[in-house]
Amino acid sequence: MAGIQLSNLRKQFGTVEVIRGVDIDIRDGEFVVFVGPSGCGKSTLLRLIAGLEDITSGEIRIDGRVVNDLEPKERGIAMVFQSYAIFPHMTVRENIAFGLTIRRENRKAVEQKVAEAARMLQMENLLDRRPSQLSGGQRQRVAIGRAIVRDPSVFLFDEPLSNLDAALRMSTRQEIAALHSQLKTTMIYVTHDQVEAMTLADKIVVLRDGEVMQAGEPMHLYHQPANLFVAGFLGAPSMNFISVTVAAVDASTVRISAPAIDGFAVEKSGHGFTAGQQATLGIRPQQLRLAPKGTGPLNGRVVLTERLGSETIVDVRLNSSDIIVAALPEDTILHPGDAVSLGFDRAHAHLFEETL
């Protein structure tokens, strides 16, 4: 296993800076997910760690060793790409063994490693098939198997599930999680899917425009987002945001006002807020609940309902014209045009100094 430290890492393509002073510390055996929208720099960051791109400045350490100038093969890593990159003319057995074969490793040792990887990935009965005879999920497992047999210090995954359908993404995600539990090897996983990030990671690193917005344990980021971007990116449906004005501040609460919620207090330390400033109230859809008509702080009319089986998603246009989304119990029956009142636990509300 190996820890990884990125120190003030920067990458420029010409005059365009795509990685801007990234500092990340990854512990031995940790499963870290880089997540963010397309173009945020997460795949570029992974390629810098792999040695597939040269850094502009900064330092990369793997297992305490500076690897800035080392070739990819010297860094003790194995990478699994979005495209399976397996050879169509080879069997599964030959594909998994390919990296060891070209290094002329002992044939018996190669056979043992291939057999062990196939056992881990539940592919023993597929070893003599060719890629054309496999499903998308099975092909991705072949690519993962080829990485396993190299016995790397670090696994790098670059959006490995993007080409799979929803059912295969779920099952393959579970297999990767089980694999990490077995191998205890440091893994870095890139995705734009916040569900993959939340379910797989020991630590999530949220990126935007080449910068780290926040890093930490998944539920810490979910419950204590550092800014509007992280709050809106993690969680499904996304957090609701309402523009508000700070009316008054004391030691433990901030009283806010807005057209739909005059005089409402949020239980948050008043540090950093001053009366009269503009701010943003954030409420997760799962925190909203129906209240007797006219009694909740949020009142409006239903615009749309989506019954998903386990819950009912309701879009509500508030009297202030803001539209918010509520995730209500599965047996909730509402129709477009119905008047509703919504309440929430103020202790679970978020108040950001940033404005929309």
Side-chain angles (χ1 to χ4, degrees):
M1 294 190 295
I4 300 173
Q5 293 78 42
L6 310 181
S7 302
N8 196 25
L9 204 62
R10 295 180 181 274
K11 174 63 178 178
Q12 287 182 225
F13 291 105
T15 59
V16 179
E17 191 172 33
V18 294
I19 300 295
R20 306 175 180 181
V22 167
D23 294 290
I24 301 173
D25 191 356
I26 299 171
R27 301 190 305 270
D28 282 354
E30 196 167 32
F31 197 130
V32 174
V33 176
F34 295 166
V35 68
S38 297
C40 71
K42 54 189 183 295
S43 290
T44 300
L45 191 56
L46 198 73
R47 291 173 64 83
L48 294 175
I49 296 170
L52 300 177
E53 298 280 357
D54 295 327
I55 67 172
T56 300
S57 64
E59 186 177 83
I60 302 173
R61 287 179 176 267
I62 298 178
D63 198 21
R65 178 179 60 155
V66 177
V67 300
N68 291 19
D69 300 319
L70 296 184
E71 294 295 320
K73 64 182 180 181
E74 301 173 302
R75 299 191 181 198
I77 56 138
M79 193 162 180
V80 178
F81 297 91
Q82 178 179 348
S83 58
Y84 314 126
I86 56 179
F87 299 105
H89 65 286
M90 292 183 180
T91 64
V92 168
R93 188 190 311 275
E94 291 166 337
N95 267 288
I96 293 176
F98 180 74
L100 305 179
T101 302
I102 62 174
R103 281 158 46 180
R104 300 183 184 278
E105 292 202 12
N106 177 275
R107 179 175 293 182
K108 186 174 182 180
V110 171
E111 290 175 353
Q112 289 176 340
K113 288 183 178 181
V114 170
E116 177 61 15
R119 183 194 63 77
M120 284 185 185
L121 297 170
Q122 300 178 20
M123 298 182 66
E124 296 99 322
N125 62 328
L126 303 177
L127 288 174
D128 295 319
R129 293 189 188 182
R130 297 190 187 280
S132 61
Q133 300 170 303
L134 304 177
S135 69
Q138 290 168 336
R139 293 178 194 177
Q140 193 58 279
R141 276 190 276 167
V142 175
I144 294 170
R146 188 170 54 193
I148 290 173
V149 296
R150 294 185 55 198
D151 194 24
S153 300
V154 180
F155 281 94
L156 306 179
F157 294 89
D158 190 6
E159 303 207 44
L161 309 186
S162 296
N163 291 332
L164 307 181
D165 63 33
L168 275 177
R169 278 203 303 272
M170 180 178 293
S171 62
T172 309
R173 186 171 72 225
Q174 292 168 342
E175 290 167 2
I176 291 173
L179 183 66
H180 178 254
S181 181
Q182 284 181 274
L183 297 177
K184 311 293 185 187
T185 306
T186 305
M187 293 185 178
I188 304 176
Y189 186 105
V190 162
T191 182
H192 62 274
D193 186 334
Q194 57 93 19
V195 174
E196 287 180 23
M198 292 294 292
T199 54
L200 284 172
D202 297 321
K203 177 191 291 180
I204 292 177
V205 178
V206 182
L207 294 161
R208 181 188 188 188
D209 296 334
E211 298 182 50
V212 176
M213 293 289 99
Q214 191 175 3
E217 296 179 0
M219 295 312 295
H220 175 77
L221 268 61
Y222 181 82
H223 289 301
Q224 299 180 50
N227 49 54
L228 285 178
F229 179 79
V230 176
F233 194 84
L234 295 180
S238 297
M239 183 181 286
N240 297 295
F241 296 124
I242 301 173
S243 295
V244 298
T245 301
V246 175
V249 178
D250 61 33
S252 60
T253 61
V254 178
R255 185 165 291 278
I256 57 177
S257 65
I261 49 175
D262 282 341
F264 188 79
V266 176
E267 293 181 5
K268 182 176 178 66
S269 169
H271 178 71
F273 292 93
T274 57
Q277 81 173 85
Q278 301 301 301
T280 302
L281 175 68
I283 312 165
R284 293 211 178 272
Q286 293 79 7
Q287 296 296 334
L288 291 167
R289 59 183 183 274
L290 287 176
K293 289 183 180 179
T295 64
L298 300 171
N299 297 280
R301 291 188 177 276
V302 174
V303 175
L304 178 70
T305 62
E306 299 173 278
R307 305 198 72 178
L308 303 182
S310 59
E311 61 185 359
T312 298
I313 306 300
V314 182
D315 291 15
V316 176
R317 186 183 298 277
L318 300 179
N319 296 337
S320 61
S321 295
D322 293 300
I323 293 182
I324 63 171
V325 178
L328 302 176
E330 60 188 71
D331 56 355
T332 302
I333 299 176
L334 291 169
H335 302 94
D338 287 352
V340 293
S341 188
L342 297 168
F344 57 93
D345 185 344
R346 67 189 66 192
H348 292 145
H350 301 266
L351 192 61
F352 302 96
E353 293 184 62
E354 300 165 86
T355 56
L356 295 173

